[in-house]
Amino acid sequence: MNLKKLLLTIAYCYVLVGGINAQGVVNQSASSNSLTNTLTAEAQNISNADLVKDNSIITNSVSETQETSGTGFTNDNRLNENSASDAQGTSRIGYTNNDRLSNHSSSIAQELSGISFTSNDTLTNISTNGNSESDVSERNSFGNLINIIKKNWVPLGNPESNKFDFGPLQNIPSINPVEGFRLRAGVATNSRFSPHLFLKGYIAYGLDDQRFKYRGEATYSLNKRQYYSGEFPQNNINLILENDIYAYGEMSPRMPNDLLLFTYNRSKNAMVYRRFAEMNYERESLSGLAYMVWVRSSDMTPVAGLTFNRMTKLGEPTNITRLRESNVGLQLRYSFDEDYEQNGRKRKSLSLNKPVLILSHLVGMNGFLGGTVKYHRTDLSVQKRFILGNAGRLDMVADAQRVWNQVPFPLLIYPNQRSFYLIENNRFYLSPIMEFPADQLFGVRATFVGEDFLFSKVPLIDKLGIKEVVTLRGISSHLSDKNYPTTDNGLLAFPETSMPMGDVPYLEGAIGITNILGLFRIEYVHRFTYRENPYAILGNIRFDVTL
């Protein structure tokens, strides 16, 4: 190989590999395109270095960009070889000012003087005479495994023509105090089944209680979807039916049981069997304003140490076998210059440095759909990411919640009752989930993730991409006299783990490492206040998957 050919080969390799980011999406500037074209033309003029272009090997699928006049909205969902596998790739959708994306998803195999370069949408592999085929195969297998874990769903059948997906993978096994070891299997349709009608559901079985559970969802999207119903902007009518266990204080009413694996210690004596139904309409707009209206009904039966005992003047508590509650509600959400990355069934916000405001209000109705409690509840949340120069980022979430009426303890406020946080790692992990009942709550959550910080100074750690993570979470809550159970008001008696908060806020924090293999986080969590409470969890080491 002469010097000119060697230099051209090295330069071409640099341009080809350097333009590929971690998602497998090639973003090339005009200058790099020009350089690539020049090098390709030069390579074609070199003797005995014919550029092989085989249509069975080389497929350049350029993203199709849809622009809405005056909005700068870009919807880039076509990333793979053909439309049958569009949403299996990664797309970026948003409406920031003239955010024109040029994403090229390619599968390139070019032979140049005996050196082979190959890139695909999951892993960049450079195969030379010095690397064995087994090394390349191992890298491919590892990259494919990481990609499957990140997507959390796997296609049932040919990925280019399948109509059903299986998942979420992380929820197949879990453990909780009621069911013991739990197995769950879920299936969801995609746009090949129907671009408007989407079905999703799961069945689950607990080895200890020996009961089957289920959840089914039907969504009709008024907009034609590329792959699944949650793509931006949503314009959906949803119906949800569920018969499953439910952890008070840990989940919002709409959230499926996806966190049971992480709540074992905190959910003892705090779970019910719940029959749940909801119909809602959700609409998102390019202006950043989104809203949802709903009507829902719940029928709950206490289980495994939790009881519904009504206090009476006779001194003997009256056991209530079930609690029925129905409500209607409205949620408003506003985000500034929103931008998304769509990867299969996952939608990730790319504009967290802009504030996100969420306000919701529900009205509990007595006598409507079997409901027995009349009340009002309001929730407000503000979220924002702050970029701290090159050091890293600081994610902040602030909450305010209020129940305005007298309600039984299952309908009071608890710290982790939310489903709408875009910023991860903001749960309370060391408080039993019904420890602090309240009808007023204020909370702040902060998470710092390092970039060019301490770990970046250590070459090996920096090469692995591991980052520091430090969190601090705090709440201040209050329970008014009208919601203390007494023999006069006849409210349900608190569980033994419940203890209304005093004047001191509840604080916990964590320090650890994240982005391990791009997926995992390990951290030590410490409880700073109310450590004397009999059911307090003082500290713990957490292992988490950050999908």
Side-chain angles (χ1 to χ4, degrees):
M1 181 183 293
N2 58 39
L3 179 59
K4 181 178 181 182
K5 183 189 294 186
L6 177 62
L7 292 176
L8 285 172
T9 300
I10 295 173
Y12 192 89
C13 177
Y14 176 80
V15 172
L16 177 64
V17 177
I20 302 175
N21 62 18
Q23 295 292 339
V25 179
V26 181
N27 300 308
Q28 296 175 320
S29 64
S31 60
S32 66
N33 280 333
S34 175
L35 179 56
T36 303
N37 293 334
T38 301
L39 292 171
T40 302
E42 287 290 331
Q44 289 175 339
N45 293 328
I46 299 175
S47 61
N48 301 322
D50 294 331
L51 180 63
V52 179
K53 298 181 67 176
D54 187 343
N55 288 331
S56 65
I57 299 176
I58 304 174
T59 303
N60 291 328
S61 176
V62 181
S63 305
E64 178 180 292
T65 303
Q66 300 175 346
E67 299 183 0
T68 302
S69 176
T71 63
F73 172 70
T74 301
N75 186 359
D76 182 45
N77 284 329
R78 304 183 179 277
L79 296 178
N80 287 330
E81 293 183 6
N82 51 51
S83 60
S85 58
D86 286 341
Q88 297 288 354
T90 301
S91 61
R92 187 181 180 193
I93 51 181
Y95 46 88
T96 53
N97 294 334
N98 296 321
D99 186 13
R100 302 292 197 263
L101 303 175
S102 177
N103 295 329
H104 303 272
S105 178
S106 307
S107 178
I108 302 173
Q110 298 179 342
E111 294 182 1
L112 184 60
S113 299
I115 300 178
S116 173
F117 306 95
T118 303
S119 69
N120 56 38
D121 64 348
T122 58
L123 190 63
T124 301
N125 299 314
I126 303 176
S127 177
T128 67
N129 294 330
N131 292 331
S132 66
E133 293 182 0
S134 61
D135 292 339
V136 176
S137 177
E138 289 177 2
R139 287 199 298 269
N140 276 326
S141 299
F142 181 76
N144 290 335
L145 177 61
I146 294 298
N147 196 40
I148 290 172
I149 294 175
K150 285 184 176 181
K151 288 184 176 180
N152 208 21
W153 291 81
V154 295
L156 292 176
N158 187 338
E160 297 182 358
S161 60
N162 71 298
K163 297 181 180 180
F164 301 91
D165 297 330
F166 177 81
L169 299 180
Q170 66 167 331
N171 304 129
I172 294 174
S174 61
I175 186 170
N176 63 79
V178 175
E179 299 174 294
F181 188 74
R182 167 186 168 110
L183 292 174
R184 187 179 113 173
V187 175
T189 66
N190 56 49
S191 61
R192 300 186 191 103
F193 177 86
S194 169
H196 293 281
L197 177 63
F198 296 86
L199 305 176
K200 181 169 66 173
Y202 66 76
I203 58 172
Y205 183 78
L207 299 186
D208 281 2
D209 68 350
Q210 299 182 359
R211 291 180 58 160
F212 282 98
K213 296 90 177 172
Y214 65 83
R215 178 182 174 107
E217 301 180 30
T219 298
Y220 185 81
S221 175
L222 299 177
N223 297 336
K224 186 177 180 180
R225 302 285 78 178
Q226 294 291 332
Y227 193 76
Y228 89 120
S229 60
E231 294 165 2
F232 183 87
Q234 295 186 81
N235 188 12
N236 298 340
I237 301 171
N238 304 289
L239 175 64
I240 304 171
L241 297 175
E242 178 185 289
N243 188 346
D244 204 345
I245 59 170
Y246 178 74
Y248 276 120
E250 185 65 26
M251 298 178 290
S252 74
R254 185 178 300 107
M255 180 184 294
N257 291 329
D258 289 345
L259 297 170
L260 295 176
L261 183 63
F262 307 109
T263 63
Y264 183 85
N265 290 331
R266 304 194 310 279
S267 59
K268 292 179 180 179
N269 302 325
M271 305 187 81
V272 299
Y273 290 122
R274 182 181 73 154
R275 298 173 61 189
F276 173 78
E278 176 177 310
M279 177 174 284
N280 64 64
Y281 172 66
E282 185 172 10
R283 180 69 184 269
E284 296 175 324
S285 67
L286 304 184
S287 66
L289 178 65
Y291 64 88
M292 174 188 287
V293 293
W294 70 80
V295 54
R296 69 167 67 113
S297 176
S298 300
D299 188 336
M300 295 157 285
T301 303
V303 65
L306 180 66
T307 58
F308 292 167
N309 290 324
R310 189 184 305 278
M311 302 184 67
T312 65
K313 293 183 179 181
L314 299 178
E316 291 292 331
T318 301
N319 181 257
I320 306 299
T321 59
R322 59 196 292 197
L323 174 65
R324 300 194 67 179
E325 185 267 339
S326 300
N327 64 72
V328 296
L330 168 67
Q331 178 178 294
L332 301 175
R333 178 177 177 275
Y334 186 78
S335 57
F336 298 80
D337 292 333
E338 199 157 34
D339 195 10
Y340 286 107
E341 177 187 83
Q342 189 74 50
N343 186 6
R345 292 181 177 274
K346 291 185 66 64
R347 190 176 83 167
K348 179 181 179 181
S349 176
L350 301 177
S351 53
L352 293 176
N353 58 326
K354 304 294 180 65
V356 178
L357 311 176
I358 303 170
L359 174 66
S360 67
H361 186 83
L362 66 81
V363 180
M365 313 201 50
N366 187 7
F368 176 68
L369 296 178
T372 59
V373 184
K374 181 180 180 180
Y375 70 105
H376 291 256
R377 172 171 173 156
T378 304
D379 292 71
L380 174 65
S381 176
V382 182
Q383 310 171 35
K384 190 180 186 310
R385 171 169 293 172
F386 298 89
I387 305 300
L388 306 179
N390 295 327
R393 67 176 189 264
L394 180 67
D395 293 338
M396 298 288 296
V397 178
D399 298 309
Q401 299 166 287
R402 176 90 183 254
V403 171
W404 301 89
N405 308 91
Q406 185 180 86
V407 295
F409 75 84
L411 302 181
L412 289 172
I413 300 170
Y414 301 93
N416 284 332
Q417 286 180 326
R418 76 277 193 279
S419 62
F420 43 71
Y421 287 162
L422 299 176
I423 296 175
E424 63 175 342
N425 200 38
N426 282 284
R427 307 188 70 80
F428 289 89
Y429 296 104
L430 299 181
S431 171
I433 58 180
M434 302 189 74
E435 182 177 13
F436 298 116
D439 48 28
Q440 300 176 52
L441 184 145
F442 301 92
V444 177
R445 301 163 169 88
T447 301
F448 170 78
V449 178
E451 292 293 340
D452 186 13
F453 203 56
L454 300 179
F455 283 177
S456 66
K457 313 304 181 186
V458 182
L460 177 59
I461 297 179
D462 185 51
K463 185 176 181 179
L464 294 174
I466 296 175
K467 304 178 185 299
E468 312 91 339
V469 58
V470 180
T471 64
L472 182 64
R473 299 176 283 268
I475 53 171
S476 176
S477 67
H478 173 72
L479 183 69
S480 59
D481 292 340
K482 66 176 179 289
N483 278 314
Y484 272 95
T486 66
T487 56
D488 292 329
N489 59 30
L491 290 174
L492 300 180
F494 285 148
E496 60 181 6
T497 58
S498 295
M499 182 178 299
M501 189 178 297
D503 295 332
V504 178
Y506 172 76
L507 295 174
E508 69 176 51
I511 184 170
I513 57 178
T514 189
N515 201 45
I516 305 170
L517 300 178
L519 285 177
F520 306 112
R521 172 190 289 118
I522 300 176
E523 62 184 357
Y524 171 73
V525 190
H526 185 80
R527 176 170 173 149
F528 295 105
T529 58
Y530 296 96
R531 294 174 60 86
E532 70 281 0
N533 283 8
Y535 294 93
I537 305 170
L538 302 183
N540 210 343
I541 295 177
R542 292 189 61 254
F543 175 83
D544 201 356
V545 180
T546 58
L547 296 177

